[in-house]
Amino acid sequence: MSELFAPGTFTPAPGRGQLGRMLLAQAGTETRLALRNGEQVLLTLLIPVVLLVGLSVLRVVPLPEPRVNSVVPSVLALAVMSTAFTSQAIALGFDRRYGVIRRLAATALPRWLLVAGRLAAVLAVVVVQLVILGVVAALLGWRPDAAGLGWALLMVLLGCAAFGALGILLGGTLRAEMVLAVANLVWFVLLLGGGIVIPLDQLPAGIAAVAAALPSGALAEGLRAPLVAGTAPGIGPVLVLVAWAVVAGGVAVKAVRLR
Amino acid sequence: MQIPPSARSGEAAPDPAAPVAESAADIAVSVRGLVKRFGATTAVAGLDLTLRRGSVLALLGPNGAGKTTTIEVCTGFLRADSGEVRVLGFDPAGAPDALRARIGIMPQGGGAYPGVKAGEMLRVVAACAANPLDPAWLIDVLGLSGATRTPYKRLSGGQQQRLALACAVVGRPELVVLDEPTAGMDPQARRVVWELVSALRRDGVAVLLTTHLMEEAEALADEVVIVDHGRVVAAGSPAELTSGGDEQELRFRARTGMDVEALTAALPAGYRAAETVAGRYVVRGRIDPHVLSAITGWCAGQGALADDVQVARRSLEDVFLDLTGRELRS
């Protein structure tokens, strides 16, 4: 009877795919989607590059020379926040709206791998950002202290954990439009008042105290020590980022909804 | 990984020497006394169903009847408040990952990344299966090859549905669960889906689907379970549900509240008249010209015009109307 489907086409042969292939397929697709979405690229690459060049070349904020050395930690903190928090929350909000989280949960993909795939996609975009921003900064005369690079990488990972957990919490609980509004508003507020563009020591004392306890301030400060001075980050920023990651991750595990 | 005793039986042709008696291995889905409440609302109120391997069961009912809730319990997305649910030998809520490695699910309305291309999405889902079908072939055969450059959010409803269907079958599952598979499809696309479901059944896959389309249930299902307000109001093959023996029926519209007892009395023995909903009447029995004339004549005697007179075998739509007093698509 069937002309389209030869007999035996659908003879059952079920089973779960290999974990590595599942992770690669999901994370690879989510990375490609993030890198070809215009608004997300604006947020994750264009704005950080413009700020990196602008703050290094234009003297709008007083910074020690060479200016680019002070700008790089700010811009890397911004890049991590943009990708792990804002871009990820918005993507998750709309992914839920379009039913893809449920679609993937309906496959053999284990729940933990679903989360791991999203985080892997975030890390992949962050790697792209680090490469592009690193090259642009080098062209602007940035010569980082090699001793600090390992510490900086650790801070980037901690920043991804803290902002990623917050992004999943936000994107996984509110309606897509609300996620869009809140994620962009928080991004803007933390960029200006959260210790990213304006270092903590140049903010008013009250705001600086708050910003130091925020993931934005902690990440930017934690990057300044290794990248500007070539020293280990203070224990403060590390603890702040770990605390945000643990608390937001714990709440997210309970609160995130598939739809 | 836990392997249920029935796990491999779908992979081989049935053994002719095997006992004909019904065994647990033949049953893909077994639901007994399922109850599911959401707050004060009871979505499913004691539902039973049995789906055999290599057969198609349609849950038929209006929106809000409890079809999707039943599906979500069977696929482990919801936990039953009471009742026993076994799917391929698994307790769905207890072992959702192990179960989902063996079944293919089409959630209502599908689901994909808003910006993803159809082929990309299908490849992600295919990667989750051990022995998937070729995604490119499936995209082509379901008529999506013209839309491979279009992001999911810009696909038509019917195209999104076809992608969702492809995602449900790409992993070569033993059981396919389809929630409203043809909603939003044009008749041509619907044909392809019907053909696909027939091919699944032919190849030994069990199919559990929900629909509110009568013709879909009649065309596809070995067994139809009609649900309303979370209960089974009738179950059986389409032929069993619609035949009522060799009985015909005559349906007509007239003013409401006519005395159907008197009409029954006015007809030869063996005919029964009833008002199914206000102003709609049905007379069951062998309808011949004499009886037809007797019915319209009796109505005339009541000062009523028998309008929209139809003689037919019962359709599932009529069965539903008679059982629930409601139109299926209201």
Side-chain angles (χ1 to χ4, degrees), chain B residues 220-241:
Chain B
L220 294 181
D222 298 292
E223 174 148 359
V224 178
V225 173
I226 302 180
V227 289
D228 188 38
H229 296 305
R231 292 175 196 280
V232 175
V233 292
S237 70
E240 284 165 359
L241 287 172

Side-chain angles (χ1 to χ4, degrees), chain B residues 116-316:
Chain B
V116 81
K117 312 276 184 351
E120 284 178 311
M121 187 66 212
L122 189 56
R123 281 194 295 278
V124 172
V125 175
C128 298
N131 310 290
L133 298 169
D134 177 10
W137 169 78
L138 205 49
I139 287 284
D140 187 46
V141 81
L142 286 174
L144 288 169
S145 41
T148 46
R149 296 179 159 276
T150 312
Y152 178 76
K153 63 182 170 189
R154 286 204 243 289
L155 294 177
S156 72
Q159 288 170 327
Q160 293 184 345
Q161 289 283 89
R162 275 177 277 166
L163 174 60
L165 193 69
C167 289
V169 302
V170 72
R172 299 179 68 184
E174 288 170 75
L175 164 68
V176 171
V177 181
L178 309 172
D179 199 356
E180 302 274 357
T182 60
M185 281 190 185
D186 59 46
Q188 198 188 343
R190 189 168 290 155
R191 280 282 150 213
V192 174
V193 175
W194 290 10
E195 204 167 324
L196 176 72
V197 170
S198 303
L200 289 169
R201 175 180 178 276
R202 176 202 63 200
D203 289 341
V205 181
V207 180
L208 173 60
L209 62 89
T210 71
T211 182
H212 58 265
L213 294 177
M214 292 297 167
E215 60 268 37
E216 188 156 284
E218 296 199 56
L220 294 181
D222 298 292
E223 174 148 359
V224 178
V225 173
I226 302 180
V227 289
D228 188 38
H229 296 305
R231 292 175 196 280
V232 175
V233 292
S237 70
E240 284 165 359
L241 287 172
T242 55
S243 69
D246 243 346
E247 196 172 71
Q248 285 177 304
E249 60 182 25
L250 180 140
R251 288 176 177 268
F252 62 94
R253 292 170 187 262
R255 68 174 164 77
T256 57
M258 293 197 302
D259 184 353
V260 290
E261 303 289 331
L263 173 55
T264 301
L267 296 172
Y271 290 87
R272 283 168 290 110
E275 186 173 7
T276 53
V277 290
R280 288 177 169 222
Y281 296 85
V282 58
V283 177
R284 299 226 169 79
R286 220 180 68 74
I287 306 299
D288 58 24
H290 176 71
V291 170
L292 177 60
S293 147
I295 294 167
T296 51
W298 181 84
C299 288
Q302 305 287 308
L305 173 65
D307 196 8
D308 198 8
V309 179
Q310 292 180 346
V311 180
R313 297 173 63 88
R314 296 212 300 164
S315 70
L316 278 177

Side-chain angles (χ1 to χ4, degrees), chain A residues 17-215:
Chain A
Q18 292 161 11
L19 292 176
R21 287 194 57 228
M22 286 195 250
L23 181 69
L24 202 64
Q26 186 205 343
T29 301
E30 290 182 7
T31 306
R32 280 200 308 281
L33 288 170
L35 291 177
R36 70 178 189 226
N37 179 312
E39 290 133 54
Q40 294 204 27
V41 170
L42 176 74
L43 202 66
T44 58
L45 283 171
L46 220 54
I47 292 177
V49 166
V50 166
L51 281 178
L52 173 60
V53 175
L55 289 174
S56 300
V57 174
L58 307 173
R59 295 166 191 283
V60 280
V61 183
L63 291 172
E65 294 293 337
R67 295 178 59 87
V68 67
N69 280 5
S70 313
V71 173
V72 166
S74 300
V75 166
L76 290 187
L78 170 66
V80 167
M81 176 173 78
S82 300
T83 296
F85 176 70
T86 305
S87 172
Q88 139 112 316
I90 294 169
L92 179 56
F94 282 94
D95 284 355
R96 280 169 58 231
R97 156 77 49 85
Y98 281 86
V100 71
I101 310 299
R102 202 172 172 81
R103 166 67 268 168
L104 292 176
T107 68
L109 193 72
R111 197 66 64 93
W112 64 266
L113 197 60
L114 190 66
V115 177
R118 294 199 85 86
L119 295 179
V122 165
L123 288 178
V125 174
V126 168
V127 167
V128 172
Q129 291 175 302
L130 292 181
V131 169
I132 292 178
L133 292 171
V135 167
V136 172
L139 293 176
L140 290 167
W142 181 50
R143 297 292 177 268
D145 189 332
L149 284 183
W151 287 115
L153 204 59
L154 176 75
M155 293 310 295
V156 165
L157 287 175
L158 283 177
C160 284
F163 276 118
L166 286 165
I168 286 179
L169 178 58
L170 174 61
T173 48
L174 299 185
R175 272 179 40 236
E177 289 78 10
M178 282 297 288
V179 173
L180 187 65
V182 172
N184 280 319
L185 184 70
V186 169
W187 180 87
F188 192 68
V189 169
L190 292 186
L191 174 66
L192 294 182
I196 290 186
V197 170
I198 305 162
L200 293 182
D201 54 24
Q202 294 178 33
L203 284 171
I207 296 179
V210 174
L214 294 175

